[in-house]
Amino acid sequence: MARPRVLSGIQPTADSFHLGNYLGAVRQWVTLQETHDAFYCVVDLHAITVPTEPDALRRRSRVAAAQLFAAGLDPERSTIFVQSHVREHSELAWILNCLTGMGEAARMTQFKDKSAKFGESAASVGLFTYPILQAADILLYQANRVPVGADQKQHLELTRDLGGRFNHRYGETFTLPEPYILKEVEKITDLQEPTAKMSKSSSSPAGILDVLEQPGPLRKKVMRAVTDTGSEVLFDEENKPGISNLLRIQSALTGTSIPDLVARYEGQGYGTFKKDVAEAVVEAFSPIRERTEKLLSDEKELDRMLAIGAERASAVARETMAQVRDRVGFLPTL
Ligand code: AQP
């Protein structure tokens, strides 16, 4: 039997992924390549929905791809590619745009959050239709599962709605995907603002743990993470969001359950606990940083790996789009 297909994407919007991207997405991508036919992309078309400098985009796209390989994605088993290399993403997005209601698109909360920074009227139409492009990314590959963090749940629902609408209107064409969300790591929060999501673009440097950061600053940030009143290491999201976030991180990185961690640190105060969290983060990130640096030292080879991914992804995308064009009623090209 064919393996179920998985697809996910990550934006090249910073010079490093952060701990939320790593635990909420990338680490699961690595696990899923063992059991799934895996497609993962660096979504550069999504990155330009906010003003982006071309050289920074080029650099960040390579840095993102290198981190994916460095984190353990195997180009033999997974198809790793850059979104803009496969033209069909934009083409399908246009068709899905024409199936989406204005009100439906306006309900997407990520647009509201992200546009708040510029003011809604200054935000681009691309930012507004971002989730529709995301739906195209997923439907194009007939993905069964999409591993994401909790922030993407609403976009996955829209993807299912649009795929279902297309199928209903034009005939069965798309697989409707299920989100794949690991509850324990669905929302890693900012170290300085432990009720907000850790985020490439909205966290302050002190609140964010970057995968490519050196051990020294990583340790400092964990030690300075906002903790809560009291001194007991307890999991209590409401009253101790800072310590609860660190417990979630430590549990995900070491494989020790949260109750076992709470028992281990009983009566020891926050200091010892934070030191251990810092070590676990450094231990997880250092090998990825070193491998990323090595991959980036040979851009030609990295670009070659991405070209292979683009070719494999294009083969699937072309097949889907041939069917879509025909169903919609576009004339064939002779
Ligand atoms: N804090 C988080 N906790 C758990 N998962 C997270 N993800 C992001 N932040 C967290 C997951 O990482 C994947 C890739 O994210 P993205 O690049 O598409 O951008 P995003 O979700 O918008 O993340 P950021 O860091 O906030 O990026 P910017 O600032 O560029 O918008 C997704 O699966 C996401 O769920």
Side-chain angles (χ1 to χ4, degrees):
M1 216 177 75
R3 291 173 155 210
R5 184 166 288 162
V6 74
L7 176 130
S8 202
I10 191 154
Q11 295 192 79
T13 36
D15 287 314
S16 172
F17 296 155
H18 57 69
L19 184 67
N21 299 139
Y22 177 66
L23 291 178
V26 178
R27 199 172 70 155
Q28 294 166 56
W29 298 8
V30 176
T31 310
L32 286 167
Q33 73 179 347
E34 305 296 335
T35 48
H36 287 67
D37 179 20
F39 286 74
Y40 300 123
C41 55
V42 174
V43 292
D44 52 350
L45 296 173
H46 279 100
I48 63 162
T49 56
V50 295
T52 304
E53 210 265 306
D55 281 337
L57 181 61
R58 266 185 283 274
R59 184 182 71 244
R60 289 171 171 177
S61 295
R62 289 201 179 96
V63 171
Q67 285 175 100
L68 294 182
F69 292 121
L73 288 176
D74 174 1
E76 300 285 324
R77 277 180 290 178
S78 297
T79 300
I80 319 285
F81 65 103
V82 175
Q83 184 188 30
S84 65
H85 288 173
V86 182
R87 309 290 143 101
E88 284 81 359
H89 289 251
S90 309
E91 189 184 356
L92 181 57
W94 176 255
I95 294 170
L96 297 178
N97 266 309
C98 299
L99 287 181
T100 311
M102 283 294 289
E104 194 174 27
R107 278 196 294 278
M108 297 297 120
T109 54
Q110 197 182 69
F111 173 74
K112 288 182 196 151
D113 295 345
K114 290 199 173 176
S115 62
K117 242 203 273 174
F118 320 97
E120 267 195 29
S121 55
S124 73
V125 175
L127 188 64
F128 185 67
T129 60
Y130 178 116
I132 303 168
L133 176 59
Q134 190 175 336
D137 301 338
I138 298 164
L139 295 173
L140 202 48
Y141 296 91
Q142 310 287 5
N144 304 96
R145 273 174 215 146
V146 184
V148 283
D151 57 330
Q152 296 298 326
K153 241 185 242 171
Q154 197 188 29
H155 292 174
L156 253 292
E157 276 158 30
L158 178 73
T159 301
R160 288 176 58 84
D161 288 347
L162 293 178
R165 195 169 303 156
F166 187 101
N167 288 349
H168 182 73
R169 191 169 301 180
Y170 297 114
E172 209 53 40
T173 306
F174 292 120
T175 303
L176 301 188
E178 299 286 344
Y180 178 91
I181 298 176
L182 283 193
K183 197 92 202 90
E184 303 77 31
V185 286
E186 66 173 12
K187 186 181 172 191
I188 300 298
T189 59
D190 184 297
L191 298 187
Q192 291 300 317
E193 212 185 312
T195 50
K197 175 182 112 150
M198 187 181 285
S199 164
K200 294 198 243 21
S201 52
S202 52
S203 290
S204 75
I208 190 168
L209 294 172
D210 279 331
V211 173
L212 300 183
E213 206 157 15
Q214 295 293 330
L218 282 174
R219 289 195 181 98
K220 241 186 230 156
K221 285 185 191 179
V222 175
M223 295 311 289
R224 288 182 189 161
V226 165
T227 36
D228 319 283
T229 47
S231 59
E232 286 296 294
V233 176
L234 291 175
F235 191 79
D236 177 348
E237 304 242 40
E238 191 132 322
N239 300 307
K240 285 179 172 270
I243 285 294
S244 300
N245 189 39
L246 293 178
L247 275 167
R248 231 182 283 120
I249 292 169
Q250 178 74 336
S251 172
L253 290 175
T254 61
T256 310
S257 74
I258 290 179
D260 283 356
L261 288 173
V262 169
R264 182 183 301 169
Y265 293 102
E266 198 186 338
Q268 294 198 49
Y270 293 156
T272 318
F273 170 56
K274 281 173 144 181
K275 233 186 225 157
D276 288 351
V277 175
E279 282 325 302
V281 171
V282 168
E283 212 171 285
F285 285 179
S286 293
I288 302 178
R289 189 190 68 249
E290 284 157 18
R291 285 195 291 266
T292 302
E293 283 164 3
K294 194 150 171 247
L295 283 155
L296 287 171
S297 69
D298 187 352
E299 277 185 5
K300 255 202 186 136
E301 173 60 11
L302 187 60
D303 290 354
R304 192 193 64 83
M305 288 159 83
L306 291 172
I308 293 173
E311 209 170 293
R312 291 214 298 254
S314 292
V316 179
R318 272 198 299 269
E319 203 178 306
T320 306
M321 275 316 293
Q323 212 180 17
V324 168
R325 284 189 206 108
D326 181 56
R327 297 253 154 97
V328 170
F330 295 153
L331 285 176
T333 48
L334 291 178

